[in-house]
Amino acid sequence: MRFRGNKPFASAVGLVLGLLCAAEAAKVNKHKPWIETTYHGIVTENDDKVLLDPPLIALDKDAPLRYAESFEVTLTEEGEICGFRIHGQNVPFEAVVLDKSTGEGVIRAKDKLDCELQKEHTFTIQAYDCGEGPDGANMKKSHKATVHIQVNDINEYSPVFKEKSYKATVIEGKKYDSILKVEAVDADCSFQFSQICNYEIVTPDVPFTIDKDGFIKNTEKLSYGKEHMYKLTVTAYDCGKNRASEDVLVKISVKPTCKPSWQGIKALLHTVTCQPSLVRSIRPFIMFEILQVLLKETSFHSLFLPLSGFNKRIEYEPGTGSLALFPSVHLETCDEPITSIRASVELETNHIGKGCDRDTYSEKSLHKLCGASSGTVELLPAPSSSANWTVGLPTDNGHDSDQVFEFNGTQAIKVPDGMVSTSLKEPFTISVWMRHGPGAHEKETILCNSDKTEMNRHHYSLYVHNCRLILLLRQDPSEAENYKPAEFHWKFDQVCDKEWHHYVLNVEFPTVSLFVDGTAFEPFLVTEDYPLHASKIETQLTIGACWQENSGHDNDTETVSEPTSGGSARMAQFFRGNLAGLMIRSGKLENKKVIDCLYTCKEGLDVQLPEEVASAVKVEFNPNQSSLTVEGDDVDAFDKVMQHISYLNSRQFPTPGIRHLRISTTVKCFNEESCVTVPDAEGYVMVLQPEEPKISLSGIDHFARSAAEFESQEGVTLFPELRIVSTITREVEADTESEAAEGADDDPTVQETVVSEEIMHNLDTCEVTVVGDELDGEHESLEVDMSQLQQRGLEMSSSNLGLVITGVNTMANYEQVLHLVRYKNWHTEALFDRKFKLVCSELNGRYISNDFKVEVNVIHTANPVEHANNAMVQPNFINPVHHASVDLSGHNLVNAHQASVVPSAATIVIVVCVSFLVFMIILGVFRIRAAHQRTMRDQENGKENEMDWDDSALTITVNPMEVKKKKKVFLTCLYTFVFNSIIVWDMNTLSTSVNDEW
């Protein structure tokens, strides 16, 4: 733009234009607002205004300068502060601008603040102006400043005690620095209002005081005779002088003078059900020993008052897992300075079986269950039809453990030839359970293999001599004439301590390893000898003594005295003690895992250490876990470990009875002279009688087969429909409403009813025996599929009395095997019936089934071909079994398939009988026609004469044997017809009720 004309005017115009341009330039938003970098604020819980230091003020350089009054300038928004923005999550504050031109603002709370929820708040704040840049961008923002705000507390809460009540126990005659501590807390957030400044005992006139920290102590020595328990009311004050919302009750019990002992072992005796006066009157007349015996019997527990000194009773119900023995136990040490504690807990189980409760399967079955391979021979089996060499030996006469045999120094047995073939050239194992006490200084033989005649040489033997266990092994005569180990000697206390111990000898000549109760022992002496001289003399294996000739000499040049008992003239070195489970396993040694399994108890002590005390206390068990020791120096940790000691019996059917408990304690103190003496604590675990199973065998107990089937290659299946069921009887609480509905005459005190419940467990023996004459091996036999037996790990032994299937297995597997038992007879001309009996048992005869008897009849026919065709159809003669002794309360033991089998079989039998009767009628017609005249005369005289055959009309040659056979068939038909009168005869479309016809 150009200005022409007057120069002063042009100059004035230029000045005005310059000022206008400067004003336009001033409107450009060049600068950001500025605030402090950090702010600190304080706000009270019941207020919303925050006091900030420094105050919240935002500055902006774009704000216009104020010139002289002569200059009139219009203010713009570029230099004004439009607002503050708070950054952060869930910030309970807001920032407000008080003056846009000065940039002054405040921070205030949006809601009521709670110091107890959050004492401090931290967030960032940012200021922004109101101007826009020349390009139209948004307003400019300041940097972010950090704001710290502290919430001040007000005394709005009162103290509250941590516990609803407090308890403590003191001993009379002592003044305590502190008996117990009560503690209250205050919910206020500040140090001033949340602190408890004072405690006060509200109850007046009590010999106790409390300090500002809550510790209560007695002001004088307390007397148990004066007061057993004190009850105090205590209150608390915070530093704002607010009193507790509720006072607390403190109970302080006074105990008599302290006596170190175990406390808290509860006596679980039955309650007294008779009059106390009666008990007091009879108590002086009954000896303490008699009462103690009676208390062990369940039926007497409710008759006597719990007297001091009686064993404390802890009942264990089978199948309930582990049972804590001392859940509330506490060792009272009377505040003595303890340095160490050692306690031994012993569970006496020596009277149970062979030292504790174990599975009572046979030793051979246990070897299989523990993983031992085949080749094990049981030398002391329970007497049976297939193993009868132990018959006559005294036994324990019980089934709570496996068979235990007693040797009193006069008995010995010979093992049949061929049972054991042990060669020293291959490894073998001898294992035995033995209980032996101190005896004479003579040799006592457990097992001996010696010459049958002449030389009396001992090839190998295991015997006891002067409480030492000795194994004699003589070299084979075929070996070179070298000195080699011949006797191995071990000496330890177990040989003569009159307790049961398990011995395993692994023999791998010339090395022998001995394990006693799972622990390895090295021989302390090994003597050497030359090999035996070669001879053709057979050997005799004996148990309980050595077999010797009457010459009185053996290879050890020892004179043998004449036996005193008759029939044992060739026995010497008799054993005195008990033996069980004597086994020899040829060809392989037992490993440590199997040995431990054979010895392991099914009952014992157990402890689950709490994590907080596992490192402070040491616990050790003996091998069969019948005792344990606990060592430590912290009484509290020691108590916790003792409280976690439990009894466990993992048997399905444990041996009932008493297991005595004893706790022996040794305490060491700093001052040995005044150390604590803790008396032994005693009690007993009563293992209750388990719910015993009832093994029931059921199926078809009477049927008939054709002679051809007996003579066939397959034979006749004896137990085709056999069912094995085991049940237990439980008592459950009856429904009182249903009982009331049945009638008021019932006894109102009866609250239980009996139900049967089917359970699953194993069997270990099933024996099939012949009823009547023994089996004739020339023309009859009992057989079973051996491959099926081997697949199930079962074994079978047979004799002319029957067969025995042994091995631990399920009832279902035994069912399947017994379904395959067959009877064959290839000479049936004179056979009309055969009877058999089946008995199964569990746990070495502890639980025995019912006697299941089966009778099978032989059907003789004139047409063998027809019988051969009928062999493929259903049984000819079948009766379902009925046992009155089997009461399963709703459980049907007979297979439902029998219902479909019985009618068809009965139909065939009835048809045969009817045919036979028709044949007899025809013969009768001929007889009547032949004797017509005499029949008319008999009718006139009113008499009934016996019919005679008229040989002129019909000549029949009768074989006497055939007459007997026909008579037998006729009786069989009649028997069938009578006992199957309830069977429905259904042939295709013809349906006739036999009951109606009968």
Side-chain angles (χ1 to χ4, degrees), residues 87-222:
H87 300 277
Q89 294 183 353
N90 302 323
V91 179
F93 296 96
E94 61 182 357
V96 180
V97 178
L98 299 180
D99 190 336
K100 292 185 177 182
S101 60
T102 61
E104 181 181 1
V106 293
I107 296 178
R108 60 191 180 191
K110 294 190 289 186
D111 299 309
K112 184 178 179 181
L113 300 175
D114 191 345
C115 175
E116 286 71 35
L117 295 178
Q118 190 170 350
K119 291 184 179 181
E120 295 182 352
H121 298 270
T122 301
F123 53 88
T124 58
I125 192 170
Q126 196 175 24
Y128 57 91
D129 59 21
C130 300
E132 296 183 356
D135 56 352
N138 292 331
M139 69 288 290
K140 291 187 177 294
K141 301 177 183 179
S142 69
H143 61 272
K144 292 182 180 181
T146 304
V147 181
H148 301 281
I149 297 178
Q150 179 179 346
V151 181
N152 282 350
D153 186 29
I154 60 175
N155 194 11
E156 57 183 324
Y157 293 100
S158 299
V160 177
F161 285 95
K162 286 186 175 181
E163 304 290 340
K164 294 183 178 180
S165 63
Y166 292 86
K167 295 180 181 180
T169 301
V170 296
I171 300 175
E172 64 176 351
K174 292 183 62 176
K175 288 193 67 174
Y176 291 83
D177 295 332
S178 174
I179 297 176
L180 78 157
K181 180 183 179 182
V182 298
E183 188 175 0
V185 293
D186 195 301
D188 289 309
C189 66
S190 64
F191 178 82
Q192 176 185 3
F193 298 140
S194 65
Q195 293 300 305
I196 307 299
C197 284
N198 188 32
Y199 290 93
E200 180 184 341
I201 296 177
V202 180
T203 307
D205 302 328
V206 290
F208 300 95
T209 184
I210 189 169
D211 61 15
K212 62 182 183 63
D213 295 322
F215 290 99
I216 298 177
K217 63 181 180 179
N218 54 325
T219 56
E220 61 184 41
K221 294 181 179 180
L222 305 178

Side-chain angles (χ1 to χ4, degrees), residues 454-566:
E454 301 178 10
M455 302 180 68
N456 294 332
R457 298 174 306 172
H458 296 180
H459 292 252
Y460 64 87
S461 66
L462 179 65
Y463 60 94
V464 175
H465 189 204
N466 291 331
C467 291
R468 300 178 183 182
L469 186 67
I470 302 173
L471 176 65
L472 171 67
L473 286 175
R474 300 300 301 275
Q475 300 177 54
D476 191 35
S478 63
E479 297 180 1
E481 294 288 333
N482 296 328
Y483 248 38
K484 289 186 179 180
E487 284 190 0
F488 299 82
H489 296 244
W490 294 270
K491 186 174 183 179
F492 37 79
D493 296 335
Q494 289 90 328
V495 176
C496 292
D497 64 359
K498 297 183 180 180
E499 302 293 343
W500 279 106
H501 297 285
H502 186 236
Y503 302 84
V504 177
L505 293 102
N506 281 336
V507 181
E508 192 169 15
F509 194 79
T511 302
V512 179
S513 301
L514 173 66
F515 295 88
V516 181
D517 298 338
T519 304
F521 285 83
E522 293 295 330
F524 78 92
L525 178 64
V526 177
T527 61
E528 296 183 341
D529 200 353
Y530 285 108
L532 296 170
H533 295 291
S535 69
K536 297 182 179 180
I537 302 174
E538 295 182 353
T539 60
Q540 176 65 60
L541 184 62
T542 55
I543 301 172
C546 258
W547 177 263
Q548 295 186 162
E549 273 289 351
N550 291 330
S551 59
H553 301 282
D554 62 9
N555 198 54
D556 300 325
T557 66
E558 177 179 317
T559 301
V560 180
S561 60
E562 283 292 329
T564 57
S565 61

Side-chain angles (χ1 to χ4, degrees), residues 661-712:
L661 278 171
R662 180 181 293 104
I663 305 177
S664 304
T665 312
T666 303
V667 179
K668 293 184 179 180
C669 312
F670 287 104
N671 183 4
E672 293 291 341
E673 295 180 358
S674 60
C675 194
V676 175
T677 301
V678 180
D680 292 351
E682 295 185 353
Y684 66 91
V685 177
M686 172 61 78
V687 178
L688 302 180
Q689 179 73 35
E691 294 170 332
E692 298 190 356
K694 182 178 181 180
I695 306 172
S696 301
L697 309 179
S698 61
I700 302 172
D701 68 343
H702 194 184
F703 58 90
R705 293 289 189 274
S706 65
E709 291 187 55
F710 287 94
E711 297 174 357
S712 66

